[in-house]
Amino acid sequence: DTAVSQTPKYLVTQMGNDKSIKCEQNLGHDTMYWYKQDSKKFLKIMFSYNNKELIINETVPNRFSPKSPDKAHLNLHINSLELGDSAVYFCASSQGRQANGYTFGSGTRLTVV
Amino acid sequence: SQKIEQNSEALNIQEGKTATLTCNYTNYSPAYLQWYRQDPGRGPVFLLLIRENEKEKRKERLKVTFDTTLKQSLFHITASQPADSATYLCALDSHTGKLIFGQGTTLQVKP
């Protein structure tokens, strides 16, 4: 199936831990994104990569570090997790400047306890 | 400051009626405006895109209008069905390469 797939789907971890979320797309898109959806369902962009190059880096704590080993993968590493990091994280991809819409993954629900 | 507002958090309508959702924005000059559908526990799914120089776009039972003077987009679902129940998100790109989302409107279509 052509899609954006992210793992894990659920992640429960303790404060202070370091965790990673992986994302892969097989759509041949050149741009990938990380979005955070908070408890009020508001989707906010965090990062964007185009062909492995960082092009958008929003005001996100530097505990969050994206890594794109190739244009089909965009991983998100989070250091020293805090309670406020609890949210659903969505990976997405697009071809070009959003002209054809984004394709989103199914999300990773991160709970920090 | 820049804002995108979807004017109601929830909308309840009867099956068969037309649902109309509103997206207003301030202090943006969007190149594109997009509409997405999100079901509980799932990622948003792209529905329609309309460009700044377009007034209206249709896809099956969906229609989107875009008025850059009023700074508003309307999203219509005609002959609504219970399966249309979901949260609908508008999003715009203001020539910055970022797609910024509204907070969503949850539509409930009752049989």
Side-chain angles (χ1 to χ4, degrees):
Chain A
D1 285 345
T2 54
V4 176
S5 56
Q6 51 182 113
T7 55
K9 189 166 176 63
Y10 299 98
L11 187 52
V12 181
T13 187
Q14 290 189 323
M15 275 196 325
N17 283 350
D18 303 339
K19 290 292 178 187
S20 292
I21 306 171
K22 295 187 175 182
C23 180
E24 175 181 5
Q25 56 96 2
N26 62 4
L27 299 162
H29 288 169
D30 59 8
T31 308
M32 296 184 73
Y33 312 84
W34 279 109
Y35 274 81
K36 178 180 179 180
Q37 190 167 45
D38 60 24
S39 57
K40 294 185 178 179
K41 309 297 184 188
F42 188 59
L43 262 173
K44 188 172 180 183
I45 189 165
M46 300 174 69
F47 302 104
S48 172
Y49 271 75
N50 179 270
N51 282 319
K52 303 194 296 176
E53 184 181 343
L54 181 66
I55 55 171
I56 294 173
N57 184 352
E58 285 297 275
T59 310
V60 176
N62 57 15
R63 298 181 295 103
F64 290 79
S65 53
K67 282 190 173 54
S68 182
D70 56 61
K71 77 171 194 175
H73 295 83
L74 180 61
N75 303 322
L76 183 65
H77 188 75
I78 316 169
N79 289 326
S80 304
L81 278 154
E82 300 178 357
L83 293 176
D85 298 331
S86 296
V88 182
Y89 292 84
F90 286 101
C91 177
S93 71
S94 71
Q95 182 60 33
R97 278 275 318 280
Q98 298 99 23
N100 299 309
Y102 286 14
T103 303
F104 280 83
S106 56
T108 295
R109 181 173 293 277
L110 171 66
T111 304
V112 183
V113 296
Chain B
S1 63
Q2 294 176 321
K3 271 189 187 178
I4 304 170
E5 287 185 337
Q6 295 186 242
N7 71 339
S8 54
E9 282 193 19
L11 180 64
N12 296 313
I13 64 166
Q14 208 64 35
E15 182 176 7
K17 300 291 185 187
T18 296
T20 298
L21 285 65
T22 305
C23 177
N24 295 294
Y25 59 92
T26 54
N27 296 322
Y28 280 111
S29 295
Y32 308 103
L33 193 142
Q34 302 182 21
W35 285 89
Y36 288 78
R37 169 183 172 142
Q38 187 173 23
D39 291 283
R42 310 288 292 269
V45 175
F46 172 71
L47 296 174
L48 278 169
L49 176 149
I50 188 164
R51 291 176 171 77
E52 59 184 329
N53 59 352
E54 296 176 319
K55 296 291 185 190
E56 183 179 297
K57 209 62 147 333
R58 290 176 186 261
K59 179 182 173 184
E60 298 171 355
R61 293 184 296 112
L62 308 180
K63 184 177 87 170
V64 172
T65 63
F66 194 12
D67 188 326
T68 54
T69 302
L70 290 178
K71 297 187 184 298
Q72 181 181 81
S73 175
L74 299 179
F75 176 79
H76 306 273
I77 307 174
T78 57
S80 59
Q81 304 164 0
D84 295 326
S85 299
T87 296
Y88 291 86
L89 304 164
C90 75
L92 57 84
D93 163 24
S94 59
H95 301 276
T96 61
K98 297 181 205 175
L99 194 64
I100 310 297
F101 283 81
Q103 79 276 23
T105 295
T106 298
L107 173 67
Q108 185 73 35
V109 180
K110 298 183 179 177

